[in-house]
Amino acid sequence: MELDEITISRAILASQMDVLIDHMELDVAVVGAGPAGLTCAALIAEQGFRVGIIEKKLSIGGGMWGGGMMFPRIVVQEEARRLLDRFGIRSTVYKEGYYVAKSIEAVSKLAAAACDAGAEFFNLIMVEDVMIKADGRVSGLVINWTAVGMGNLHVDPLVMGCRYTVDATGHDAVVARLVEKKGGDIEVKGESFMWADRAESRILEHTREIFPGLVVAGMAANAVAGESRMGPIFGGMLLSGEHAARLVIQKMKE
Amino acid sequence: MELDEITISRAILASQMDVLIDHMELDVAVVGAGPAGLTCAALIAEQGFRVGIIEKKLSIGGGMWGGGMMFPRIVVQEEARRLLDRFGIRSTVYKEGYYVAKSIEAVSKLAAAACDAGAEFFNLIMVEDVMIKADGRVSGLVINWTAVGMGNLHVDPLVMGCRYTVDATGHDAVVARLVEKKGGDIEVKGESFMWADRAESRILEHTREIFPGLVVAGMAANAVAGESRMGPIFGGMLLSGEHAARLVIQKMKE
Amino acid sequence: MELDEITISRAILASQMDVLIDHMELDVAVVGAGPAGLTCAALIAEQGFRVGIIEKKLSIGGGMWGGGMMFPRIVVQEEARRLLDRFGIRSTVYKEGYYVAKSIEAVSKLAAAACDAGAEFFNLIMVEDVMIKADGRVSGLVINWTAVGMGNLHVDPLVMGCRYTVDATGHDAVVARLVEKKGGDIEVKGESFMWADRAESRILEHTREIFPGLVVAGMAANAVAGESRMGPIFGGMLLSGEHAARLVIQKMKE
Amino acid sequence: MELDEITISRAILASQMDVLIDHMELDVAVVGAGPAGLTCAALIAEQGFRVGIIEKKLSIGGGMWGGGMMFPRIVVQEEARRLLDRFGIRSTVYKEGYYVAKSIEAVSKLAAAACDAGAEFFNLIMVEDVMIKADGRVSGLVINWTAVGMGNLHVDPLVMGCRYTVDATGHDAVVARLVEKKGGDIEVKGESFMWADRAESRILEHTREIFPGLVVAGMAANAVAGESRMGPIFGGMLLSGEHAARLVIQKMKE
Amino acid sequence: MELDEITISRAILASQMDVLIDHMELDVAVVGAGPAGLTCAALIAEQGFRVGIIEKKLSIGGGMWGGGMMFPRIVVQEEARRLLDRFGIRSTVYKEGYYVAKSIEAVSKLAAAACDAGAEFFNLIMVEDVMIKADGRVSGLVINWTAVGMGNLHVDPLVMGCRYTVDATGHDAVVARLVEKKGGDIEVKGESFMWADRAESRILEHTREIFPGLVVAGMAANAVAGESRMGPIFGGMLLSGEHAARLVIQKMKE
Amino acid sequence: MELDEITISRAILASQMDVLIDHMELDVAVVGAGPAGLTCAALIAEQGFRVGIIEKKLSIGGGMWGGGMMFPRIVVQEEARRLLDRFGIRSTVYKEGYYVAKSIEAVSKLAAAACDAGAEFFNLIMVEDVMIKADGRVSGLVINWTAVGMGNLHVDPLVMGCRYTVDATGHDAVVARLVEKKGGDIEVKGESFMWADRAESRILEHTREIFPGLVVAGMAANAVAGESRMGPIFGGMLLSGEHAARLVIQKMKE
Amino acid sequence: MELDEITISRAILASQMDVLIDHMELDVAVVGAGPAGLTCAALIAEQGFRVGIIEKKLSIGGGMWGGGMMFPRIVVQEEARRLLDRFGIRSTVYKEGYYVAKSIEAVSKLAAAACDAGAEFFNLIMVEDVMIKADGRVSGLVINWTAVGMGNLHVDPLVMGCRYTVDATGHDAVVARLVEKKGGDIEVKGESFMWADRAESRILEHTREIFPGLVVAGMAANAVAGESRMGPIFGGMLLSGEHAARLVIQKMKE
Amino acid sequence: MELDEITISRAILASQMDVLIDHMELDVAVVGAGPAGLTCAALIAEQGFRVGIIEKKLSIGGGMWGGGMMFPRIVVQEEARRLLDRFGIRSTVYKEGYYVAKSIEAVSKLAAAACDAGAEFFNLIMVEDVMIKADGRVSGLVINWTAVGMGNLHVDPLVMGCRYTVDATGHDAVVARLVEKKGGDIEVKGESFMWADRAESRILEHTREIFPGLVVAGMAANAVAGESRMGPIFGGMLLSGEHAARLVIQKMKE
């Protein structure tokens, strides 16, 4: 059989466009494909919900690839180790309670798990605004190609509807800041000083619905709350992603 | 137990530095963590060799994340489908002989496989020269942080030794061009026009040891040979990675 | 009736994707939406052929908007005046044989005519390579989003098939140069000195099929031929576009 | 007849300079050549007033060329469809009440209509300040070449007088912000969240004279009022342009 | 009397446009307003010829403002001192045969002299090509706003006719290089090593008509000839400007 | 006599360094070499005071070179015409009370006059701070090479003492803003809307000592006062420069 | 003996990593390797404490290399001369009480002294945050490669513990500003006007522990206090470094 | 005694200008202040010759600060160890024949030695050309501020005479390339592949007078000769600097 370039092109266009048009109405939009977002999306999608992961960069993984200071290792504490195990990420003990894993393995396996659970990735897409209508809920995301922003092009966005949004965009807390800036009654305080122990122990209480329809997870949760900074440890991020998933699933089932 | 930031930092430094010092002498250095490089590295590492994957970017995956024109789907032909299956990457038939997979799933699972096989990733590291001594072989890579180049800093490199090098850096054919530029007797011709069928059917013959100690794979193989361009199809890249692995393993066992 | 954002988004996606998938096989691809390209596309599409106009910028019109030195007027000589009239572009006589029109009116009406004739515009898309297979003809264009290039993103292209290609990309002669660079047996000589009279009188003979399947028109025709430069006069461009249309129509009907 | 370059150059200079000197006193200056501005200018000029359209870019059309997310289609609701028809822009029904048109056709035909109505375009020109004298009205615009700003050149502006100014510069609301910044008693609130239905239904009431001599139209009107964002729908913009035209015509006739 | 902004604007437009249209046909175009160009232009204009000085920058003066290494002093040797005196530029003796003047005084008085002699300045305008017709002479310059180049705008040029052109653009030798690049039979060799004495003593023989209609002067003359570099001394430049003036005047009178 | 490069270099260094060391204590520092600064410096230096003109750019002249919108003409009203005459700048009447001059002639002759009067230019030097000691006066300027700022180099400044400083830096009002920012009790209000007549008639009252030892002139005077903008007319700038000179001379003589 | 590249690489990696892991817990972290920081670090290290000097640039020395306005000389007053002598930096008397030294000699000898005293340099490393835990003290620094910031890479930091931190980062007062920004109860006022005498005489009282665990020295001390600017004199910086050393040593011994 | 800012400024200007004027005629100019240049300059200056070290950057030290891959350690082999000892740079044995030193200590002590020997540093100055007169020797350097180049300013250079020039500018071999480019009969081949052992053993033979008056040292010597690359080892550079010093001293004494 001879390969035909046009058939290949059409195969890509047609299959992705079906997915895109289909996913213009999501159950849950997870913004940011870092450790918290991937964990959260995988766990919600496992329950059969229609989940879209929106990532502004070409690649997913966020700040996890580089480990600490470009040494590609991450550390996870005792409580979060079961999540490493759950996703098949191998780790070694450095000292009691400190588990070291390879950052690239961690990203790859979290992403693979999200795929297997049925979550759909929309990379190279940025959120430039939110949709809030008469019910006062975040009920959609105003999206555009990241490349439109990079090229400084004047091009209008489209809108993707969603019942729940999880802001897992790290300390930028992109979605929360958009809501704050446009007049929503929330305040994004920004992270405080580094104090890993405190930050890790409080992150679950900061992982919550801060505005109708909008849940924050991972570093974004601590940034909104003005909590201490976490340091080069990723357990809290995985646990927060899991917690956000539980919250959203519960709400969706109500 | 209270988390201690300094212990976390030391855990990262110590575990990665052991790996780094240990891997300054590799069996095989695979340069470029795109589809060909990941496939190749996974298959060689499975045989128990010490494999390092050197990737200049923060994330691995090369041009695969974006699918075709930012629609994150890839197409694979019949012959390469068994490699998708081998790495657990799901696909659907678009038309007979044309299989569509999700690009993000493909990257993630190839990387996960390379990790599981024992290959070690060195991301954010660029190859700025090669080491060729009296025996006329490529016997090492002159490496530096990519960030040193981005920041235009004047900082000297280090050298990583290796018995074999696989250049899987795409159409730039970075290692091959370094050998050419410094006087090695090879010519990098650059890709010709798009003609997917021809490019796919010839890639295996172009995947070969072009200079003592240096094997080219994936798009780099076609670029060196002046072959037609492949188009938005990834089967040839996976097959070329597999072929390069076989060549290297055979040589290593000699 | 209440407006629904998601319906609006789906309307845009669905209608354009149908067009895009449908137009992956064109009769004629006109590259460059300046005066020559627009004229050419309008005249071919009028004959019922499936014509796609590929323009790398957000807006069409090329260098016509700015007139001469940012004074938005263009000049057209006697022979080309009937083309102004044909497209409804008003002009005034400056001196016998020199007709002045408004540049913005000229662009708008040429584009409107191309639309009315049924040509389909693909703006923000660049041609990064051509497809040439066993028959040695340009039989397709390797396309990508311009924004991918502006953002320096590593994203693969798609392929759009076409029976004939018209290179109307101005003095860059983008498609002709791609063919030359990849080894096609043509030479792009570049424009010579300014000599309007000579340039205008020779442009029709330079408007021709320079490579199987590839016709050059407008400034690209003169640039390929090493002809004199035309100066701030647009008649030759319109006439060349018309001539290219005739050539292509004749070939298509053979 | 032999073509003479110098005659061509003089033809361009002389014809445009006459227009420029003549139009230093306008009846109405429309700033911004997007959909609202073009509609507004066409309708006012049709009444015989001297209208100048000032556009900072080389091409006119604003954000309309790129449709939604670079898919060049626009959507218009029932109420605005008659304006599409009036300007000869073809559309198809996607679903009841949602009409889809081609963005490039829409721009071209709006611009052609403005030309035919007698409006004069001044592209590549930016407004860097306004003139307000003893009567407290905006009675002129302080203009400069956009290229002067791009090249960061220190060059003084000129002044173009006008009885009425329409700010149709999109969400930047350039003229309104200049008035606000220099101490005029108005506030530009900026758009609120996306809520297309509300935005479309309120835009006509926001299209008004916000400062003596200054009318806002299109997205600028909503941005000044702090209204919801419109989403990828262009009906409101056309209707607002029409409404602004009516207001200005009425005032001019008083 | 009350000042009116619009009258001021029209005064500027009208007076300069008359000059511009009038000067589209020059006797002599001097390109580059550094010391050689200013001297040359002043001396030719004094003879009653219509002289235009085309300068790409906002300010004239070229490299003279900064003296040597930002110390704003210039040195002139014995032979050139009479030119300083002629233009009223004061100097002091540093050592026998070495006269020091203030660089800012030198520029100002040369420019004032050129104005008084009747030469017309066209600053912010670049030469992007030359016009050469059947007689094989440089008979015009293809000009554009410098700002068009700085802003990377796609805008067509105009053409300014001239009987003689003097290239006084310094070591870039802009006009000469355009002629060389487009196929004129001249070679621009570029300056050789620094050797002030040799460079100064040879500059007059290099100041000559290198192509029909094109005279080179100042550093451009040495750059074309591959002569030694002059060093921080300006006498040769003034003398070369004077010599070029004599040559051109003689030719014009023939 | 043979020219010696090293003697030339030493001539430049030695003559300028004597001037520089000598001028580290000035009577009057005029900051900004535009029309107001040049006029002011020329008139003060004529009285025999030691005047230094500090200009951050390579060339002097400020925004005067470009006339209005790159048409190099300036307009001056009746009252200021005598200053044109005083400096030998020719003008023509456009309409009663509106005199048009060439911008390049104006700059050159103002600068020549300042040189002849004995003012010393320090171009390529920026003011990065002011010196204020126990007496609460501006008694010195903290200066550095402009190139240090452009190259973003970390290099310390030097201090130039002066009895009076004139801020003639245009609407930036650089010195005034430094005093305001560091806590001096003045407010720089910024220019208001364009209203030439008002601006011109008020500029003399705004030209005053706004802080002990600091006089503002030209556009800087209006910018500090929050006055209307002047428009493309230069009479007020010349008159303000003259007025500032009178104020400073009077103070110096007290 | 034959040199082996891999042994060389391992020698560098192993020796520096031991130092790095070892110095993750410091007695004193001195941030900024300018004159104050080098003096301070040398004097504390001489007492046997474990001192790390963190410098964001590739080279140490801060703003001292360039002297005043790129003339590489520094001036030191009488009181500080003994510190020049202590570090072997030669000086000459310009005028009573004013000693001139070469800036490059000064930097080199201060750095050599710090090395000899046992302080360890960590160059190319930036402080991006501080660690403050339950005791409310600055007890660690959150560090990252400067190159990560220059390349705009998303990479997590590590943490370096320290009992005392000296902020010697010049007028940026980087560490102090981080504490202020994140909510610590201090205010960084920024330097006031130039007044060398006052600044020099007050610097010792501003050199103090401004927050538990954080001492400021050199220009950072004056910047925090809102003190006058010092001018091109370096005595106060050396004296402040010495004073900070005394304070810290006393605290460490308590 | 009260400190006076103006006296400080004059002290810096006067002392450096004396040095600068005095050093416009050098015995030896060493270009590049890296390890080879510093060693060479120190050893020549010790013999009483007038040596100037010209360094384009603000800081000296070249690529030595960053050690290998930003780990600030350098390695030196047995033969070069005595040079470390001579300059007081401490080292430790990693393995027989491999000595590790701290890079910052090495730079500081080499620079301190050059200062003590009487060499004069001219930092922030670049060489933009060479002077070659009738005798065909490099007899001077055409210098300018580096900041002039960074700011892209059009400012003329000065000339510094010298009997001998040492090009120690690293692999750029700046001076050698200038001679080659301007027509001197030498070829700069560029470094070959990494092969430390060969590079180190050959460097002394490559350290030689390649053109009358021009000696190359350090990496520049190997780059000119097309020699293998040295790798992260600095012994050869120190030895080459010493060798160049011997050559020059011998020549100077002839």
Side-chain angles (χ1 to χ4, degrees), chain E residues 5 73 98 102 109 116 196, chain F residues 4-5 16 109 116 196:
Chain E
E5 291 81 357
R73 286 292 183 277
Y98 295 83
K102 298 183 181 181
K109 291 190 175 165
D116 286 341
Chain F
D4 176 51
E5 290 81 357
Q16 180 65 9
K109 292 192 174 163
D116 285 342

Side-chain angles (χ1 to χ4, degrees), chain A residues 232-246:
Chain A
I233 191 157
F234 281 80
M237 257 150 339
L238 302 177
L239 293 165
S240 169
E242 181 189 42
H243 191 61
R246 275 190 203 132

Side-chain angles (χ1 to χ4, degrees), chain E residues 39-210:
Chain E
T39 303
C40 181
L43 298 179
I44 300 175
E46 269 181 3
Q47 301 296 313
F49 294 107
R50 184 181 297 184
V51 177
I53 304 174
I54 297 171
E55 168 56 49
K56 70 177 175 183
K57 293 207 175 154
L58 180 56
S59 59
I60 51 88
M64 211 181 202
W65 298 103
M69 279 183 76
M70 311 200 299
F71 300 106
R73 286 292 183 277
I74 60 168
V75 174
V76 161
Q77 66 271 52
E78 193 65 53
E79 299 87 316
R81 194 192 168 190
R82 69 180 160 80
L83 283 166
L84 292 188
D85 292 349
R86 187 190 207 293
F87 294 113
I89 302 163
R90 295 163 306 167
S91 59
T92 55
V93 188
Y94 171 72
K95 212 170 132 173
E96 201 199 322
Y98 295 83
Y99 298 86
V100 181
K102 298 183 181 181
S103 62
I104 290 170
E105 181 176 346
V107 176
S108 305
K109 291 190 175 165
L110 285 172
C115 289
D116 286 341
E120 197 69 44
F121 284 89
F122 298 96
N123 57 339
L124 282 170
I125 286 182
M126 64 180 175
V127 174
E128 64 172 63
D129 206 347
V130 296
M131 179 166 75
I132 296 179
K133 302 172 80 158
D135 60 2
R137 287 178 61 83
V138 172
S139 55
L141 299 173
V142 183
I143 58 172
N144 215 330
W145 295 110
T146 302
V148 161
M150 294 171 93
N152 206 19
L153 294 167
H154 188 172
V155 172
D156 277 306
L158 294 178
V159 178
M160 189 177 245
C162 47
R163 290 168 60 200
Y164 269 90
T165 297
V166 178
D167 183 347
T169 60
H171 78 275
D172 288 340
V174 170
V175 184
R177 279 187 205 278
L178 281 168
V179 172
E180 181 190 31
K181 180 183 152 200
K182 290 289 186 77
D185 185 24
I186 60 171
E187 186 194 353
V188 178
K189 293 184 181 160
E191 288 176 335
S192 179
F193 303 113
M194 169 76 71
W195 182 0
D197 196 55
R198 183 186 156 99
E200 291 284 320
S201 63
R202 299 275 177 88
I203 194 168
L204 293 197
E205 69 190 73
H206 299 316
T207 302
R208 59 188 190 81
E209 186 169 2
I210 57 164

